[in-house]
Every structure is written in structure tokens, then in C-alpha cells.
Amino acid sequence: MKFANEIDLSVARDDVFAFVADQRNIPLWNYYVVDVRQERGDGPAVGARYHQTRKTDSQITEITQMAPGESLTVETVDGAPVFRRHIAFRQTRRGTRLIDSWGLATGYPAALELFAVRRIRRAVAANLEKLKQLLEDGAVQLQDGRRVSVGS
């Protein structure tokens, strides 16, 4: 299944890109991700691999495409759900438009997958709102009650 979300941030494109490309920052704006550790590579770059621990499971992801300041693609290497996430960063007059496009295979039967993907899309949109607040205000309270700030 495929879906996409867009959000505008009043933050410079290069700053948004740098923060989002560093996969170790995901727990600061996605409450469901508990920890991300880099397993291969030095900083965000094509071929960098990460072990992502979520509340109920874990997976290995890899950056498979990167155009600094413009786009980033991250894919599941091991674990479920299997996804391909392409994030585009567009300069706007006020900052950055982030376009977050997903290809997702949940492994569920088609009818259940449609329901699951709708829920996931809404959850991703909520997480993007948290990213926006974090980068614009410097701090945010996540859905699970944690309060985080840039640099924490």
C-alpha cells in the first residue's frame, strides 16, 4: 500500500533535512520509536544502516538514496513491516515543505491492510506535526507524555 503526507515547516530546508536525515533523531519526534542506533556508516549517507527499536518490535533500516537538502529514501532491510520511505524537502517562501511518501507491506490480508495503512498514515501525520513543533519551537511533548527538546 502507498500513502503520503505533506507538512510545511517554518525552518530552513537544510536544517530540516539534516535533522530528519539523521535517523538517530527519530525518537525525538516519533513516540513509537524508542531508540535508533547506527550500525554501519558514519552519519547519514547512502548505505548507512540503523537498528530501530520500536515499542513492540525492531527492524534494520538503510538509507538507499540521498540528495543532500532535497530527498532521502530509507528502506527496511530486516524486520517488519517492510517499507520504503521517500522524503522530499522543498524550499518554500516561509521554510520547507516536507513530502513523506511511503510504500508499505504489512503482511495483512488486503482488507485488513487497508485499515492498518489508514491508521499508520494518521499516526505518521501526527508524528510529522510533532517534528514541526520540535523544530519550530525547540521542544515538544510526544503522544506518550515524554517531553523532548532538540539536543536532548
Side-chain angles (χ1 to χ4, degrees):
M1 304 291 289
K2 294 181 179 184
F3 67 89
N5 289 301
E6 293 186 18
I7 192 163
D8 288 336
L9 298 90
S10 58
V11 178
R13 182 177 70 168
D14 288 344
D15 293 339
V16 176
F17 179 86
F19 189 82
V20 172
D22 187 344
Q23 301 294 285
R24 297 169 296 180
N25 288 329
I26 293 173
L28 296 176
W29 54 277
N30 183 330
Y31 81 99
Y32 202 72
V33 177
V34 177
D35 186 54
V36 177
R37 297 187 191 276
Q38 189 153 1
E39 290 193 332
R40 185 173 80 191
D42 182 25
V46 171
R49 280 200 180 181
Y50 301 87
H51 182 264
Q52 178 172 274
T53 304
R54 300 175 346 135
K55 290 190 182 278
T56 59
D57 56 24
S58 65
Q59 53 197 180
I60 306 295
T61 62
E62 181 174 327
I63 296 175
T64 57
Q65 179 276 331
M66 181 187 291
E70 295 181 15
S71 66
L72 171 74
T73 302
V74 179
E75 299 184 47
T76 306
V77 174
D78 186 32
V82 175
F83 70 85
R84 180 179 188 274
R85 183 180 196 181
H86 180 78
I87 307 170
F89 303 82
R90 302 288 180 252
Q91 187 71 47
T92 66
R93 288 186 329 194
R94 295 186 176 178
T96 306
R97 174 164 294 144
L98 187 148
I99 305 161
D100 189 11
S101 304
W102 289 67
L104 180 65
T106 63
Y108 297 135
L112 288 176
E113 184 170 74
L114 183 60
F115 176 73
V117 168
R118 284 183 184 154
R119 287 188 57 205
I120 293 167
R121 182 178 185 214
R122 284 193 304 270
V124 169
N127 289 333
L128 291 176
E129 287 291 337
K130 298 299 183 180
L131 172 66
K132 174 184 174 73
Q133 186 177 352
L134 177 63
L135 292 181
E136 289 180 352
D137 300 339
V140 67
Q141 184 168 348
L142 300 179
Q143 295 92 321
D144 61 4
R146 285 183 293 137
R147 184 148 179 86
V148 297
S149 59
V150 177
S152 65

